[in-house]
Amino acid sequence: MHMKWTPGAVLLASLLVGGCGDDGERGGPDQGAEPSAEQDGGQGGGSTACELLSDDEVSDLFGHPASAVPAEDETVGESSTCLWQATADQGAAVYQLQLSVFSGSTELFDPDAWGGSPEAVEGLGDQAFVVRSGGLLGTTAGYLEGDRSVFLSYARPVGDDEVDTATQADDVVELLRAVDDRLD
């Protein structure tokens, strides 16, 4: 049996696997997360995607201190992904932002794959969208430029509905614009 991995499925899998417990394991800035490439002076552990946004920029989005969560296989070929995470309320709330950059194919670019109603975004790549509310997938913005697809997804997989990621959709789009500027 062959399963087709859409960008939304990749994000959902990473959200579920990402360390988000309060058991002292790697996973959040207050739970022993290893430093990102930016924090450790660019030495090892960081992927290209992790270098495109700073922990401070992501912390501003979350309203809580965030850090990149290292993964074993962040970069595959010309594709790269990075997950930032923050915890609040002693682990009762988790914020996650995932940046994925896929090069060499346009097959993964599908605005309808993100669990909500995509809205067009002007002035970003050849084609761009934002899904303000994609259910468990949260808010996702993405764009296609040539054969490169870039997605930025903001979710709250743990915690009450105190903060709805859809209210910060414009902020997610602005972070995606910053990523685009840095990729050029």
Side-chain angles (χ1 to χ4, degrees):
M1 179 177 169
H2 177 71
M3 181 174 178
K4 181 179 177 186
W5 286 92
T6 65
V10 171
L11 173 66
L12 183 57
S14 69
L15 291 174
L16 295 174
V17 172
C20 59
D22 193 24
D23 56 4
E25 293 295 315
R26 178 177 74 188
D30 59 338
Q31 287 149 1
E34 295 176 20
S36 67
E38 180 178 280
Q39 292 169 322
D40 71 6
Q43 304 295 315
S47 72
T48 302
C50 288
E51 297 167 4
L52 295 171
L53 289 174
S54 71
D55 289 351
D56 288 341
E57 289 171 305
V58 178
S59 295
D60 287 345
L61 176 70
F62 293 166
H64 299 280
S67 63
V69 179
E72 292 294 320
D73 298 313
E74 297 172 329
T75 305
V76 178
E78 294 183 42
S79 299
S80 180
T81 189
C82 189
L83 175 69
W84 288 267
Q85 184 168 290
T87 58
D89 303 327
Q90 299 173 339
V94 175
Y95 301 77
Q96 293 184 325
L97 184 75
Q98 181 169 322
L99 173 63
S100 300
V101 180
F102 301 100
S103 297
S105 174
T106 61
E107 289 179 20
L108 290 176
F109 189 80
D110 181 4
D112 294 319
W114 297 94
S117 300
E119 301 170 22
V121 173
E122 299 298 321
L124 188 58
D126 300 327
Q127 180 182 355
F129 72 93
V130 63
V131 172
R132 293 181 182 276
S133 183
L136 182 59
L137 297 176
T139 299
T140 300
Y143 73 91
L144 177 67
E145 185 165 351
D147 68 349
R148 179 175 60 204
S149 299
V150 181
F151 303 100
L152 189 60
S153 298
Y154 174 31
R156 293 270 324 269
V158 177
D160 59 26
D161 292 329
E162 172 184 321
V163 176
D164 178 9
T165 62
T167 63
Q168 293 177 282
D170 294 337
D171 298 328
V172 172
V173 170
E174 288 309 307
L175 285 175
L176 188 62
R177 288 185 192 283
V179 167
D180 181 51
D181 289 344
R182 294 167 189 164
L183 279 169
D184 292 333

